[in-house]
Amino acid sequence: MMHHEGLCCGRRQAVGRGDRARPFRLPGARPRFLPDRPARVAHYRLEVALDLPEQRLEGTATLSLRFQRGADRVRLDAAELDVAAVHWADAPERALPFEVGDEALVVRLDAPAAAGAARDLVVRYATRPRRGLHFVLPDREHRQRQPMAWTQGQDEHARAWFPCLDTPRDRATTEVIAEVPEPMEALSNGVLVGQGPGARPRTRRFHWRLDQPHPPYLVTLVAGTFQAVDDRWEAPDGKVVPLRLLVPSRLAPLAARTFAPTRAMMDHLSAWTGVPFPWPRYDQVVVEEFTFGGMENTTQTTLTARTLHDETVAQDFTSDHLVVHELAHQWFGDLVTCRDWSHAWLNEGFATFCEALWEERARGRDAYDAAILDMREQYLEEVDGRYARPIVTRDFHAPIDLFDRHLYEKGALVLHHLRGLLGDEDLRAGVRRYLEAHRDGGAVETVDLERALFEETGRDLGAFFSQWVHREGHPALKVTFEHDAGAGLGRFTVEQTQAGAPFELELDLVLVRGEAREAHRLRLAGKREVASIPMTAPPDRVVVDPDGWPCATLELDLPAAWLRRVLLEEARLIPRARAAAALAKKGGRDDVDALRRVLAQDGHHGLRGRVARALGEVGTTEARRALEAGLETVADPRVRARIAEALGGFPGDPAAGDALAEMLRGDRSPLVEAAAARALGKVRAPGAREALTAGLARESWNDVVRRGCLDGLGALFDPAALDACAPWLAYGRGEWTRYAAALAVGALADAGGMTTRTRALEALVPLLRDPELHARIGAIEGLQAAGDPRALRPLDRAGDDDVDGRVRRMAREAMRAIREGQDRATRDERLRRDLDALRETSRKLRDRLERLEAIVDDRLPGPGPHEGLPGRRGRGPGGGGREERDVLRGTEGLQEG
């Protein structure tokens, strides 16, 4: 399992802490459509000067307009720009009247423009931007900061530093001519066509140009002092693309490890898409205090410094997912861009899918399968805890509302499903046609991908996209088996247990007898389907959906013997991981033994981590001993972290607490120590608060250990823990550490009654106005967890006034949750305590069952190969019925995926 550490392109980092899904649409949201465009911009020439101490930009923007119809005015997007003058480039002496307001600059023309007219409009302006362009400066609490400035245009923030048509539909060529203080350099899109002294004393001037059209949100400007590493990539046709990595000097030693695979990724993506890297150069620029993980500006990606890492976490952390995601956007998002944000999955779903494709290319099919399972779990977490929505929807307050697990992970899962439906070769051919057909116009909607796939393969996928992209939710499948010896049939029943109408999909089954494998494909269309397969005896095991093609949950109510054989004997990771999850619900002694054996084996960490989770869900003494034994034998820190998490499922167990405390005191990996700290808080063993408080003093990469200790303290539900957490809310403690502290304070709000709740609110409410983004987000999540109605008014102000759309969205969600009374900390804690008590009762019962099984095993002979399998007798030869046979698709020549 990859540690994302909150690094991603634009998806919201925080996950709502609710206990049930709510509607995606919030009050006040309305369908969003693009505005009319009487004139398009063919070219932007931006001449800007940065004043870092004053955090100010002065600029002159020249927009080459092409009128598509007659017009007497031009409306441009402009947010908080102080516009000094507007005139035609060929008539600077004649000022044009204009109005500024509602994030718009409306210019009244001196004479109506005719359709087809072309003219250059000049806008002189200045701004101290609150968004779009960010200044990073050292202060008393952040003396190590390196002065710099950087832009972030997605989703609608380009308008905050230059006037433009700020939609992804509107593409133009660009020039950026930037004047910055010495010794800084200015970086932008395309190629550097000139540099020299600036017009002001002690400044430098840099002139960048990109002659291929791209949308305003991808226009970038970065100013700073960097250490550069130059490289090159050569395409198969001999074209050479310069590569450059720019990193703040103090972080330069960490850069090589992070970005080493870039050239291989370019090889891979060029080959997979069939379209060689489409831009004249590619730079990767690392900046400080970046508000996302990365941003795919055309030819020049901006990345957070938090992705740089040292040898202490090199074995269990990789930046590959972030680097390849942003690189993939140079095809999906930059070369071809969603026409409007409702179709943004065409950008983000493809880039996320490319993360899995790179895992397969670099580390094998198990790594790809593990990435797909990770994505599915992240999507389901959002469905279970926040909302379900169609991937394509127009009902939102701001486009950033859409940048969630549906847009990224479910979008990637749709493409994974298409890979299974079409085959890898046809999918790649269709994607190549999609890119080539639209690279000139650039703006696409979902139907454009659908049509390209049809034109390439002849497969009409209208029903597929209607169901998986334009409909919310997913199928929840439950599979059971029954053998009818009299009829000589095995009956597989597949139920769709989700609310609402059934999905239509295909589900693969593989029946295994010895070395023979028999593949069947079931066509499902109803809420309950039965497939009857001739068989004189049940198979040795059955593998359901071995490739995990559909985006669905799968409950396997199958014999434990089958599940154990799948776990122990199958080669593919997805069915083995699902078997482990199903065995966790059975929890017998043999099931625990099978899980223990896989945990101890060498194998992909994505499987062994899920096996550790399954043992934690079993919850018996034997399961806990298997996890403790894993700590003695497992060296892979990624698996050790999952073992620590699983031990957190043994509340009140002193042995689990001792093992976790030992891990926290000194594991080889700080990420393992952080996982142990979180789990130790959940166990609430004696001495946990003291151990976690001591851990707050530990320094580690990205503060992961300290953040883990804060999470653990928050889980203790001990009012004394509030004193340990509150000091870490202070400005200067680190943005993500403050985020963790805010969550902990919110979780502890009801631990000591009204006094503690008031203390928590007094600590969190001021953070809603904090300059650091994730401190504000943490405050919102903490207040939602506390559930105190007194937080509604300050949350309402944040939902209306905050400059960041992510904050506004989360504040509105928190208000809704508090009003509904669903996230009150007291109720959550009561449920948590009830669950802990049930787990303890279940553990004792299963321990007793294990002892009884041991006695029975000593007295009885072992079962035959098919004993204990469900069955029935007395059905005639035609017992399956026509309806049952119809769900089986012809299997002649069908091979396993």
Side-chain angles (χ1 to χ4, degrees):
M1 183 180 292
M2 290 188 296
H3 296 276
H4 281 253
E5 275 298 309
L7 307 181
C8 57
C9 175
R11 77 198 91 173
R12 288 194 296 276
Q13 316 282 317
V15 175
R17 305 243 162 175
D19 61 351
R20 69 177 181 88
R22 300 176 176 88
F24 168 75
R25 189 181 186 276
L26 290 170
R30 57 180 176 79
R32 297 281 298 261
F33 296 93
L34 292 177
D36 292 342
R37 186 186 66 183
R40 67 180 181 87
V41 180
H43 182 75
Y44 292 96
R45 178 183 171 92
L46 306 178
E47 300 172 81
V48 298
L50 297 183
D51 185 335
L52 268 74
E54 294 296 322
Q55 301 186 45
R56 187 172 186 269
L57 174 146
E58 291 185 8
T60 299
T62 303
L63 287 64
S64 299
L65 300 179
R66 303 293 182 265
F67 286 88
Q68 297 176 265
R69 68 169 191 244
D72 61 359
R73 66 189 60 205
V74 172
R75 183 193 183 280
L76 301 171
D77 295 304
E80 301 181 0
L81 301 185
D82 182 9
V83 179
V86 181
H87 59 81
W88 294 117
D90 58 3
E93 72 285 355
R94 292 204 311 269
L96 297 175
F98 61 88
E99 298 173 359
V100 176
D102 193 25
E103 297 205 350
L105 167 63
V106 179
V107 181
R108 295 198 299 275
L109 307 184
D110 51 358
R119 207 166 182 188
D120 291 350
L121 185 73
V122 178
V123 180
R124 291 195 295 109
Y125 64 98
T127 182
R128 285 188 172 88
R130 296 191 299 151
R131 69 185 218 250
L133 172 61
H134 301 257
F135 293 90
V136 179
L137 298 170
D139 58 26
R140 185 164 54 186
E141 287 77 17
H142 302 92
R143 299 181 187 278
Q144 81 286 357
R145 277 182 182 166
Q146 182 172 315
M148 61 177 60
W150 44 261
T151 60
Q152 167 58 33
Q154 193 177 34
D155 50 2
E156 295 178 337
H157 302 317
R159 65 187 67 184
W161 70 281
F162 68 96
C164 57
L165 296 178
D166 198 3
T167 79
R169 170 195 65 191
D170 292 291
R171 300 163 68 88
T173 56
T174 58
E175 283 179 275
V176 176
I177 303 162
E179 187 175 275
V180 297
E182 294 178 342
M184 290 183 174
E185 61 181 313
L187 311 167
S188 191
N189 312 90
V191 297
L192 183 65
V193 296
Q195 60 177 307
R200 307 181 189 193
R202 297 183 296 280
T203 61
R204 304 173 71 190
R205 182 177 182 271
F206 295 82
H207 184 174
W208 292 86
R209 184 179 180 100
L210 180 59
D211 291 328
Q212 295 163 266
H214 61 139
Y217 82 92
L218 295 174
V219 178
T220 183
L221 173 62
V222 177
T225 305
F226 300 97
Q227 185 167 320
V229 178
D230 291 303
D231 201 352
R232 50 185 275 163
W233 176 77
E234 186 170 342
D237 62 1
K239 173 188 172 183
V240 174
V241 176
L243 307 179
R244 203 174 191 213
L245 171 63
L246 298 110
V247 186
S249 300
R250 69 182 182 86
L251 301 173
L254 306 177
R257 177 184 291 108
T258 300
F259 297 100
T262 300
R263 279 190 299 164
M265 290 173 177
M266 293 180 76
D267 287 336
H268 168 63
L269 292 172
S270 295
W272 191 86
T273 61
V275 176
F277 182 79
W279 305 100
R281 64 179 298 111
Y282 187 59
D283 295 348
Q284 297 174 95
V285 185
V286 176
V287 302
E288 304 205 54
E289 312 296 327
F290 198 52
T291 55
F292 292 111
M295 183 60 214
E296 65 275 11
N297 307 303
T298 316
T299 74
Q300 187 174 106
T301 287
T302 307
L303 300 123
T304 174
R306 294 180 61 248
T307 199
L308 302 175
H309 54 282
D310 58 24
E311 65 279 358
T312 65
V313 295
Q315 191 176 352
D316 47 351
F317 176 86
T318 175
S319 296
D320 281 14
H321 66 280
L322 178 62
V323 175
V324 76
H325 182 107
E326 304 306 334
L327 177 59
H329 272 310
Q330 299 296 316
W331 286 263
F332 305 104
D334 296 9
L335 180 66
V336 172
T337 310
C338 62
R339 187 173 183 271
D340 65 55
W341 294 114
S342 63
H343 294 273
W345 82 279
L346 296 170
N347 298 7
E348 302 299 349
F350 263 109
T352 306
F353 182 56
C354 287
E355 297 176 31
L357 292 175
W358 172 250
E359 285 294 302
E360 182 176 22
R361 163 68 172 77
R363 300 174 179 91
R365 186 60 186 239
D366 275 357
Y368 173 88
D369 286 349
I372 292 298
L373 287 180
D374 288 343
M375 293 171 188
R376 183 169 292 140
E377 290 170 6
Q378 290 157 5
Y379 157 69
L380 291 172
E381 182 181 13
E382 183 164 84
V383 170
D384 293 340
R386 297 186 74 184
Y387 52 69
R389 68 171 181 86
I391 293 178
V392 173
T393 181
R394 294 189 177 277
D395 290 333
F396 50 87
H397 281 271
I400 197 66
D401 294 356
L402 301 174
F403 284 72
D404 59 8
R405 300 299 186 183
H406 287 69
L407 199 73
Y408 288 74
E409 280 78 11
K410 190 179 182 184
L413 294 171
V414 167
L415 295 168
H416 169 70
H417 195 169
L418 281 170
R419 188 184 191 189
L421 191 65
L422 302 176
D424 197 60
E425 184 176 340
D426 278 356
L427 175 61
R428 291 172 59 183
V431 169
R432 181 172 61 251
R433 179 183 286 265
Y434 164 73
L435 292 172
E436 293 288 8
H438 300 286
R439 64 184 303 166
D440 292 333
V444 292
E445 296 179 332
T446 301
V447 68
D448 295 307
L449 175 62
E450 178 188 331
R451 287 170 178 164
L453 293 171
F454 171 73
E455 290 164 2
E456 191 64 38
T457 68
R459 297 287 297 271
D460 193 307
L461 297 167
F464 177 92
F465 282 96
S466 175
Q467 181 170 252
W468 300 102
V469 175
H470 298 286
R471 173 183 169 181
E472 72 176 49
H474 56 271
L477 306 178
K478 180 179 181 181
V479 181
T480 58
F481 172 79
E482 177 182 67
H483 182 236
D484 187 339
L489 292 172
R491 292 190 176 87
F492 290 90
T493 301
V494 183
E495 296 179 78
Q496 296 195 36
T497 62
Q498 77 279 358
F503 285 74
E504 295 185 16
L505 68 154
E506 295 178 340
L507 189 70
D508 291 341
L509 299 179
V510 180
L511 282 56
V512 183
R513 294 181 177 87
E515 298 298 318
R517 301 176 72 86
E518 179 183 323
H520 297 268
R521 178 160 289 171
L522 278 58
R523 303 179 67 177
L524 308 178
K527 292 288 273 189
R528 184 177 186 273
E529 302 276 17
V530 180
S532 297
I533 300 175
M535 59 179 70
T536 57
D540 297 336
R541 64 182 182 272
V542 172
V543 184
V544 183
D545 189 28
D547 297 279
W549 294 129
C551 177
T553 60
L554 190 60
E555 179 184 352
L556 299 176
D557 188 8
L558 299 175
W562 283 5
L563 296 170
R564 290 194 295 270
R565 290 175 189 137
V566 170
L567 175 64
L568 294 169
E569 299 174 23
E570 280 296 310
R572 293 292 299 278
L573 185 144
I574 286 177
R576 296 180 73 192
R578 285 172 162 168
L583 287 171
K585 297 179 180 179
K586 297 183 179 295
R589 189 180 64 168
D590 291 341
D591 307 325
V592 171
D593 184 64
L595 293 166
R596 177 194 57 78
R597 289 164 59 187
V598 175
L599 181 64
Q601 295 169 357
D602 287 333
H604 194 275
H605 62 87
L607 172 64
R608 296 165 76 199
R610 286 174 170 83
V611 166
R613 180 199 300 166
L615 285 166
E617 292 173 357
V618 170
T620 64
T621 299
E622 284 303 313
R624 190 251 301 153
R625 289 172 180 163
L627 290 167
E628 291 173 347
L631 291 177
E632 300 297 323
T633 59
V634 174
D636 190 325
R638 295 164 294 189
V639 183
R640 292 176 63 81
R642 302 292 83 75
I643 293 174
E645 291 173 3
L647 286 170
F650 293 82
D653 190 317
D658 291 345
L660 291 167
E662 180 65 26
M663 296 175 77
L664 176 58
R665 280 192 290 269
D667 195 271
R668 293 183 294 273
S669 164
L671 290 170
V672 175
E673 294 171 342
R678 294 184 180 95
L680 182 60
K682 295 176 182 178
V683 172
R684 300 178 184 172
R689 177 167 57 84
E690 292 77 9
L692 292 168
T693 302
L696 293 174
R698 298 274 298 281
E699 300 294 335
S700 60
W701 170 77
N702 277 353
D703 242 3
V704 291
V705 174
R706 184 173 292 127
R707 287 158 47 203
C709 289
L710 288 165
D711 289 345
L713 287 165
L716 284 176
F717 206 68
D718 178 351
L722 190 61
D723 293 327
C725 297
W728 295 96
L729 295 171
Y731 181 73
R733 291 292 199 176
E735 186 171 357
W736 282 89
T737 302
R738 301 176 73 205
Y739 169 82
L743 265 59
V745 169
L748 293 166
D750 267 343
M754 181 59 72
T755 300
T756 306
R757 193 180 309 134
T758 299
R759 285 185 61 198
L761 262 66
E762 290 175 346
L764 293 175
V765 167
L767 295 184
L768 294 173
R769 298 287 184 176
D770 195 87
E772 293 184 329
L773 170 66
H774 290 97
R776 304 200 300 278
I777 290 176
I780 292 170
E781 288 200 52
L783 291 169
Q784 179 176 337
D788 194 312
R790 291 177 293 174
L792 287 172
R793 182 171 294 179
L795 284 170
D796 189 36
R797 286 196 296 269
D800 287 340
D801 299 341
D802 199 280
V803 71
D804 194 290
R806 290 167 290 183
V807 174
R808 296 194 299 272
R809 168 83 197 189
M810 297 192 70
R812 293 175 182 130
E813 287 190 25
M815 291 170 60
R816 179 173 65 182
I818 292 171
R819 285 176 174 142
E820 291 175 356
Q822 296 295 321
D823 290 290
R824 296 294 298 268
T826 51
R827 193 186 65 83
D828 287 349
E829 177 56 22
R830 184 167 60 251
L831 291 174
R832 191 181 302 115
R833 288 175 175 172
D834 290 346
L835 180 60
D836 289 348
L838 287 171
R839 284 175 173 165
E840 178 64 13
T841 301
S842 175
R843 181 182 65 81
K844 291 178 179 178
L845 289 172
R846 286 183 170 179
D847 286 346
R848 292 176 62 190
L849 180 60
E850 287 177 359
R851 290 194 294 271
L852 289 171
E853 286 179 341
I855 295 171
V856 172
D857 287 349
D858 289 341
R859 296 180 179 179
L860 297 177
H866 304 303
E867 289 182 32
L869 298 180
R872 62 185 297 181
R873 299 179 183 275
R875 295 289 297 270
R882 180 175 179 179
E883 179 183 348
E884 297 172 0
R885 290 195 300 272
D886 283 348
V887 304
L888 278 173
R889 183 175 174 176
T891 58
E892 183 177 355
L894 177 64
Q895 298 181 356
E896 224 180 325

